[in-house]
Amino acid sequence: MKALVLCGGVPQIALIKELKSRGITTILADMNDKVPAKEYADKFYKVSVLDIEAVRKVVIDEKVDYLISVCADQVLQVVAQIAEEEGLPWYIDYETAENVSKKSYMKKIFWENGVPTTKYVILDKFDADKISHLNYPIIVKPVDAYSSRGVCKVQNIEQLRDALDKAIEISRTKTAIVEEFAEGDEISVDIYVEEGKAHVLCLTNIYKIGEDGKFIINRSRIPADVSPEIAEKIADTAQKIADAFGLKNTPMLVQLISDGEKISVIEFCARTGGGIKFQMIKRVSGFDVIKAVVDLTLGEKPHVGEIKKSDKLILNEFVYTKAGELKSVEGFEELLSDGTIAAYSVFKAPGTKFTQINSSGDRVAFFSIEADSVDEIKKKHTAANERIRAISTDGQDLIRHDLIAKFNA
């Protein structure tokens, strides 16, 4: 048996290991030949995972039995389309994959099915009349981008014009969502839908850089600081979304805002959260979402069972850099050995060139801290920031330590 895995990030390492544990040969495709998952695969193709025909050629040439990926937004559509056309198994059909990936369609269905969300319009060019009913501040984002690319918060019509032009340019369909900004804390909700029932696995507080009006995740905290009442509203809303989109057996990620009294859904997708989220979900709930996706693809039905509750506080810090070319990353292994951090991953290989922070894909690494109290979290976080380094080819430390230092528990 043979599987083609799309994308070569950290989640795909876990996916490849899970496939190999079942005796399945793994082929990896990614446009970047320096991705961390490359060394774990049996074979590698330097191919854009969003190039439908290029991926299809690998599928046909290699005679693969499975086409699969995890934790990747737009790739969900690619897998669903090719799997459907080539008769390969996949846990979601192409029409559904397309619907849960289009932010414009998503917002429409939210409004029609009572899912709480903000007022919005879809634009392919600036139109003052169409946005006149919206209150500032306003969020502008491409309808089909990911990793926070092109997402911007604006305060006035002049800023909106510029942000809209950029969002439309990034969008593959040359359209953007313009919506009201919801005040409150951002919460990421990881869910597994089993036979139509939405099971909430993990609630996470999300923190973003916020520089230049951008919304790029640089920190998260588990469990999210929410009341039982808000947690119940979140669970009810997750079920509404699953019902509205006809989801039966799938992982699901919902992003929302809560002001402590009500919630407003930003967006969702039929996948697990990206980056290291799969590790966090397993750690705090006991449910292995990577294994579940493989089970579904192989025709098995995962069962959620009892969701465990962890008493630990977990802080995840996503590390970004200044401009420069990466030579090495230092300090993480020592921090892991002495118990300051509980886990880490390096996302970029030596030789990677950084410019500016444009999306969450520009992270160089992450580290995770576990503790019994907020004070302990603070102490470990400060110690980690003092000791990690991303050394450039000219000997400079590239890490944006100032972003890490802004942590406020």
Side-chain angles (χ1 to χ4, degrees), residues 367-387:
F367 62 87
S368 182
I369 296 170
E370 288 190 9
D372 296 315
S373 68
V374 171
D375 284 343
E376 186 183 356
I377 285 279
K378 287 180 177 179
K379 290 177 182 177
K380 289 183 173 182
H381 185 266
T382 298
N385 192 25
E386 290 173 350
R387 293 164 58 185

Side-chain angles (χ1 to χ4, degrees), residues 90-154:
W90 187 230
Y91 68 82
I92 192 169
D93 63 87
Y94 176 63
E95 181 180 2
T96 302
E98 188 175 35
N99 288 341
V100 302
S101 299
K102 288 193 302 187
K103 295 179 176 67
S104 53
Y105 180 82
M106 191 183 302
K107 293 282 281 191
K108 175 176 178 289
I109 297 300
F110 286 170
W111 276 93
E112 290 175 352
N113 289 272
V115 175
T117 193
T118 54
K119 291 187 291 184
Y120 76 103
V121 294
I122 308 296
L123 297 177
D124 58 7
K125 62 182 178 182
F126 179 78
D127 188 324
D129 289 339
K130 288 185 178 180
I131 62 170
S132 60
H133 67 294
L134 300 181
N135 296 312
Y136 289 92
I138 284 173
I139 299 295
V140 181
K141 56 189 175 185
V143 299
D144 50 9
Y146 54 96
S147 299
S148 300
R149 290 183 68 238
V151 180
C152 190
K153 178 182 176 182
V154 300

Side-chain angles (χ1 to χ4, degrees), residues 12 19 82-83 108 187 212 215 256 321 335 348 350 352 364:
Q12 284 74 34
L19 290 165
I82 297 174
K108 175 176 178 289
I187 299 169
D212 302 321
F215 287 81
L256 57 86
T321 70
L335 289 164
K348 303 298 183 182
T352 300
V364 67

Side-chain angles (χ1 to χ4, degrees), residues 230-248:
I230 289 296
E232 185 176 351
K233 287 183 179 181
I234 289 172
D236 290 344
T237 299
Q239 188 62 58
K240 280 186 179 180
I241 293 172
D243 292 342
F245 287 83
L247 302 178
K248 296 302 180 185

Side-chain angles (χ1 to χ4, degrees), residues 270-289:
R271 65 172 177 90
T272 299
I276 45 80
K277 199 62 173 296
F278 72 96
Q279 298 173 356
M280 298 298 109
I281 295 169
K282 187 175 181 180
R283 194 183 305 176
V284 302
S285 73
F287 188 74
D288 188 337
V289 289

